[in-house]
Amino acid sequence: MAAGGVMPPPAGYWEGVERLCRANDILLVSDEVICGFGRLGTPFGCQKYGFTPDIMTLSKQITSSYMPLAAVMLSEAVYAPIADNSARLGVFGHGFTASGHPVATAVALENIAIIEERDPDGQRGAAGAAVPGGAAELCDHPLVGEVRGAGLIGALELVADKAAEAPVREGRPGRSDRGGDRPRGRADLPRDRRPAGALPADDRDRGRCRRDHDPHGPNAGTPHRRRPRRKGLL
Amino acid sequence: MDTLSNSLAAADIAHTLHPNTNLRAHEANGRWSWRGARASASTTTGARSISRGWPASGRGRRLFRKAPGGRGLPADAEAALLPHVHVQIERALDPPRREARRDDARALTRAFFTSSGSEANDTIVKMVWYRSNAMGKPEKKKFLARTKAYHGITIASGSLTGCHQPSRLRPAGDPGAPSHLPALLPLRQEGESEAEFTAGCCANSRTSSRRKAPTRSRPSSASR
């Protein structure tokens, strides 16, 4: 659902994966960096797709990215063997210099308070269309292969040849099968639009601001103001 | 440990996984148990600081006091600058912990903090491997990730993502390299229903994870 190309899972996928994990004593990890904090219409993505993780990753939305902070959430069943082994060895040797920095966590507290105040049920993504900002209307465009998404997360996949589903800019860096480092969508070049974190529901359409300088958009012809260059620094 | 049961220090012990710590010793006495000389002097009740390195005084404190704009920093931001890192940790994570609780048996009650999601996912890999060793299953190291899911660009999380660069950096035949589950609807065969496609993905995954499991001390079913 992220920079991999916004690929919603097929129906029943997570239920099947959870059954598989429980049957084989496999831990289930839910990466909620993108899907957490109401973006899909539930407090966390795992709740939308109906599974219970053993481990969860939180980031970005935990401070709405105003401060760098992320967290790993663990169940006691995962924690206990780690704690026991740390007692045997004397330490669980892992950590980062800025882990749990007091300013970042204080900002997270306030950010979460704002989210809970504006959206106590974590449903801000539920009211939105799967693809925000009217992008679904672009399905018929000859360069748009597919429009997809869930909650507040959406993507337009651009294609060079719609019938053949041929990706644009074939062979350029970014293709997952040609050595690019960021795998992309089905045709390897989606445009995902993810609104900011603590965005109130009424302001969701502010996400359109990225397109303000579209040459065919409502602000076409508006001069782009370049920031004045400061002298004497370099 | 002499601590009120509803204090943040008690909550910290119950819900936080501290870095570089003897976790059981921390639960027992509330002290940081770093193997170091002066670093071991701190307590979760805030009696003393770990070091004087945090911006708790002087220019750093003044700068944050002047933080501008809107609601500004929370009222306890200045307190946050004191070196009670662990206290703030628990408070910050309480809401998501509460939200995430769907099944008490598997409630996510412990938090470990990093600065980014990539670091967090790398941390998960290390924790799970550490846990497997602790449970006497050192062969249980395999991760299985959904194809085209994005988890970061660092060595471990980049490999989960399926990035080519981290994959190329790994030694050839690395048994710790993750496998990927191509549950992507565009890969569905013509005439195949979504449910059939999903069932096929899971069945293939089960087969492949069993086939690839090393046959050392005991048969292992791929750890996530």
Side-chain angles (χ1 to χ4, degrees), chain B residues 24-103:
Chain B
R24 293 302 188 205
H26 176 65
E27 291 170 13
N29 57 29
R31 286 179 182 275
W32 288 85
S33 300
W34 292 2
R35 283 179 169 176
R38 300 171 63 179
S40 61
S42 175
T43 74
T44 50
T45 52
R48 281 177 289 173
S49 65
I50 302 166
S51 72
R52 300 298 178 190
W54 294 100
S57 61
R59 184 168 176 270
R61 173 175 276 188
R62 285 197 298 277
L63 279 178
F64 281 100
R65 189 178 290 162
K66 291 177 183 172
R71 302 170 68 128
L73 285 173
D76 58 352
E78 191 170 333
L81 294 177
L82 295 172
H84 302 289
V85 184
H86 35 289
V87 174
Q88 290 296 322
I89 281 171
E90 156 50 25
R91 291 183 64 198
L93 258 288
D94 188 58
R97 176 177 61 80
R98 191 171 63 244
E99 296 285 350
R101 179 168 300 188
R102 280 167 43 86
D103 176 353

Side-chain angles (χ1 to χ4, degrees), chain B residues 142 166-178 212 214 216:
Chain B
K142 175 67 80 178
S167 303
R168 279 198 299 266
L169 288 173
R170 284 181 179 277
D174 181 1
K212 288 175 183 174
R216 239 189 277 177

Side-chain angles (χ1 to χ4, degrees), chain A residues 81-139:
Chain A
I82 295 173
D84 291 341
N85 209 31
S86 76
R88 276 195 293 274
L89 300 179
V91 70
F92 170 57
H94 184 69
F96 302 92
T97 301
S99 290
H101 191 279
V103 176
T105 45
V107 171
L109 279 173
E110 185 66 6
N111 177 65
I112 291 169
I114 292 171
I115 290 175
E116 289 189 325
E117 179 185 310
R118 293 181 177 176
D119 182 24
D121 298 324
Q123 296 180 334
R124 65 197 165 102
V131 179
E137 298 166 9
L138 295 172
C139 278

Side-chain angles (χ1 to χ4, degrees), chain A residues 151-206:
Chain A
L152 291 175
I153 303 172
L156 287 179
E157 181 159 342
L158 305 184
V159 291
D161 184 338
K162 197 164 187 171
E165 294 188 352
V168 296
R169 297 204 301 175
E170 188 170 359
R172 298 283 293 275
R175 281 185 57 88
S176 59
D177 55 349
R178 298 291 176 91
D181 274 334
R182 288 167 70 98
R184 297 294 186 177
R186 185 169 63 173
D188 290 333
L189 197 68
R191 299 279 177 167
D192 58 327
R193 300 173 62 220
R194 295 188 294 276
L199 197 66
D202 294 343
D203 294 345
R204 192 175 293 120
D205 283 347
R206 284 184 192 170

Side-chain angles (χ1 to χ4, degrees), chain A residues 11 24 27 31 79 102 176 181, chain B residues 27 80 151 163-164 194 221 224:
Chain A
N24 292 280
L27 296 176
D31 186 336
Y79 169 81
S176 59
D181 274 334
Chain B
E27 291 170 13
H151 300 289
C163 294
H164 284 243
E194 203 166 317
S221 55
R224 258 220 70 149

